Amino acid sequence: MATNDANRYEIGRGERLKLRVGTIAWFLAIIGLLLSLPILLDLGWWALAAAIVLALLLALPIWWLVRRLFARQHLRRWFSGYFATTLAVLSVIAITIATPLYTLAVTTAVQPLTVPQASLTDGNKTVVFQGMVHVGSEGFYKSVVYDIEKALSEGYAIYYEGVSNDPAGDAWFSQNLAGGGDLSANYSKLGDACGLKFQLNYFGLLQQDMAEHPERHVTADVSTADMMHEYERLVAADPGFAARVAAARQDDTSQGEGDGAAAIFNWLENATPGQRALVGVACRGMMTRLLGAKSEPSALDPIILDYRNRELAKRIEAGPDKIFITYGAAHLPGLLEDLRAINPAWEIGSVKWLRAIEAPDNLEGEI
């Protein structure tokens, strides 16, 4: 008699465990579904309707299989079991759709993309290198412009990144480095898609000082023709470089990267505000991951990075004693090496980090 009571107790405890686990699973599924609904609705009512129809279709074979495998399910009303299965499948579908977007949003918030503002010196010259991203958050660019104005008040010359136009090289540059179009226009489109800003939109705040004191504002970069000539020199001198560039160009063509970006930009022109917001979340998250990760060297790095770094180092050595530079953050390590090749005394004195990408603020209030 005692043994039977113990068995009943064990069975009861197992049933209670299954009930608790099932309750927790349903709780998590419903919470996940509720959190996913805003994503589906921002995509459009069609997305929610499609998810429901898909759940209804998938639930039929799943519920049939459950009834076949678990005898106790025959005691349950067919419709109530089918409804529960549909709800569970719908939760899985919705969570599967929403999770990548929430993950990218969290990535932007908790693993922010930061760029350095490094103070370099050789004992005589002082160079403040402000790492830049061409597309970033409004707050980042406002902070950079403030630092530039402060540097101007302290007697610094400002060196800007910006490949200058040259009729001899513009077509080559557009075709090989700008994706077949205007680079600034492409950056502006990317900024609009990501809910971010293009950096040149904010440098316009310095136009008055540029007009009054042009000697303090220097475009310290090469021209499109300079880059074309360096490319031609490397192709002639290094067959391996030519092969790597050709292979990279073939990969880009086969993957249709330019066509894919153009299709997204065209679609966004007629997208709803909710759809644009979702694209912005995804874009900011992917940019944060891609720009923050250590990527493999590009086939064109000898042109885009190495060559321009060498030319910038020469301009710094020939320039004034106090220089504030705004340049892509990826240039800093190579630039420091090139400066040290000219003068080993160059070193980093201090570094502070600025957050370059974050979700735009949507502030509201009452008057």
Side-chain angles (χ1 to χ4, degrees):
M1 186 73 175
T3 301
N4 290 337
D5 290 341
N7 289 338
R8 283 197 298 271
Y9 172 75
E10 291 296 332
I11 293 172
R13 187 169 64 179
E15 290 296 324
R16 285 198 298 273
L17 178 61
K18 288 170 59 178
L19 181 62
R20 290 170 181 170
V21 170
T23 301
I24 293 172
W26 272 111
F27 174 78
L28 294 175
I30 297 301
I31 293 298
L33 176 60
L34 293 176
L35 290 174
S36 303
L37 283 178
I39 303 293
L40 293 174
L41 293 176
D42 277 344
L43 285 172
W45 284 101
W46 60 267
L48 179 58
I52 292 173
V53 170
L54 182 60
L56 289 168
L57 294 175
L58 292 176
L60 278 172
I62 293 174
W63 175 231
W64 176 84
L65 184 62
V66 168
R67 285 172 60 87
R68 290 292 301 268
L69 294 178
F70 301 97
R72 294 187 60 180
Q73 293 299 327
H74 286 283
L75 303 176
R76 191 174 186 178
R77 290 183 178 179
W78 189 92
F79 181 78
S80 66
Y82 174 59
F83 175 79
T85 305
T86 301
L87 185 60
V89 173
L90 178 61
S91 299
V92 171
I93 293 172
I95 292 170
T96 301
I97 294 172
T99 296
L101 285 166
Y102 277 120
T103 301
L104 291 171
V106 170
T107 296
T108 305
V110 304
Q111 295 179 328
L113 174 67
T114 56
V115 294
Q117 186 183 103
S119 178
L120 315 177
T121 182
D122 66 351
N124 296 312
K125 290 179 179 287
T126 299
V127 172
V128 177
F129 183 99
Q130 173 60 67
M132 298 294 291
V133 291
H134 301 305
V135 175
S137 298
E138 183 176 38
F140 168 67
Y141 292 125
K142 287 181 176 179
S143 175
V144 171
V145 170
Y146 172 83
D147 287 342
I148 290 174
E149 292 177 336
K150 182 173 181 292
L152 287 169
S153 70
E154 295 173 353
Y156 281 77
I158 313 301
Y159 279 19
Y160 300 97
E161 179 182 15
V163 177
S164 58
N165 293 329
D166 187 316
D170 288 348
W172 175 89
F173 183 86
S174 175
Q175 183 64 34
N176 292 276
L177 300 180
D182 180 80
L183 197 58
S184 294
N186 290 342
Y187 281 136
S188 293
K189 289 180 181 179
L190 180 61
D192 290 341
C194 296
L196 299 171
K197 305 295 182 181
F198 176 38
Q199 68 179 48
L200 293 187
N201 294 345
Y202 290 86
F203 281 37
L205 299 172
L206 301 167
Q207 288 295 327
Q208 182 175 347
D209 193 80
M210 290 178 180
E212 295 176 357
H213 305 284
E215 74 283 356
R216 303 197 301 186
H217 300 270
V218 180
T219 301
D221 211 329
V222 299
S223 70
T224 56
D226 292 332
M227 296 183 76
M228 181 184 68
H229 295 322
E230 178 66 8
Y231 172 83
E232 292 170 345
R233 184 189 72 80
L234 286 174
V235 167
D238 183 0
F241 170 77
R244 289 190 295 272
V245 170
R249 187 173 294 134
Q250 181 64 35
D251 288 343
D252 291 344
T253 302
S254 62
Q255 294 172 10
E257 292 183 356
D259 294 339
I264 292 174
F265 292 150
N266 291 335
W267 175 77
L268 281 173
E269 292 180 0
N270 299 313
T272 65
Q275 291 168 344
R276 294 182 66 89
L278 293 181
V279 170
V281 169
C283 181
R284 290 190 296 272
M286 289 188 289
M287 284 185 64
T288 298
R289 287 190 170 188
L290 291 174
L291 297 178
K294 291 185 177 180
S295 58
E296 292 294 324
S298 165
L300 287 170
D301 278 357
I303 306 294
I304 298 173
L305 291 178
D306 301 342
Y307 170 61
R308 294 167 68 208
N309 288 344
R310 291 194 301 271
E311 295 302 310
L312 179 58
K314 294 175 185 177
R315 285 178 169 85
I316 291 172
E317 282 295 330
D321 290 341
K322 299 171 72 174
I323 302 173
F324 188 104
I325 299 175
T326 62
Y327 238 75
H331 288 270
L332 179 56
L335 173 63
L336 184 57
E337 288 184 11
D338 290 328
L339 287 171
R340 285 173 173 168
I342 299 173
N343 181 356
W346 279 102
E347 61 181 5
I348 295 180
S350 63
V351 180
K352 74 173 183 178
W353 296 89
L354 283 72
R355 181 171 181 166
I357 292 178
E358 57 187 325
D361 292 326
N362 288 317
L363 303 178
E364 296 181 358
E366 294 184 3
I367 298 177

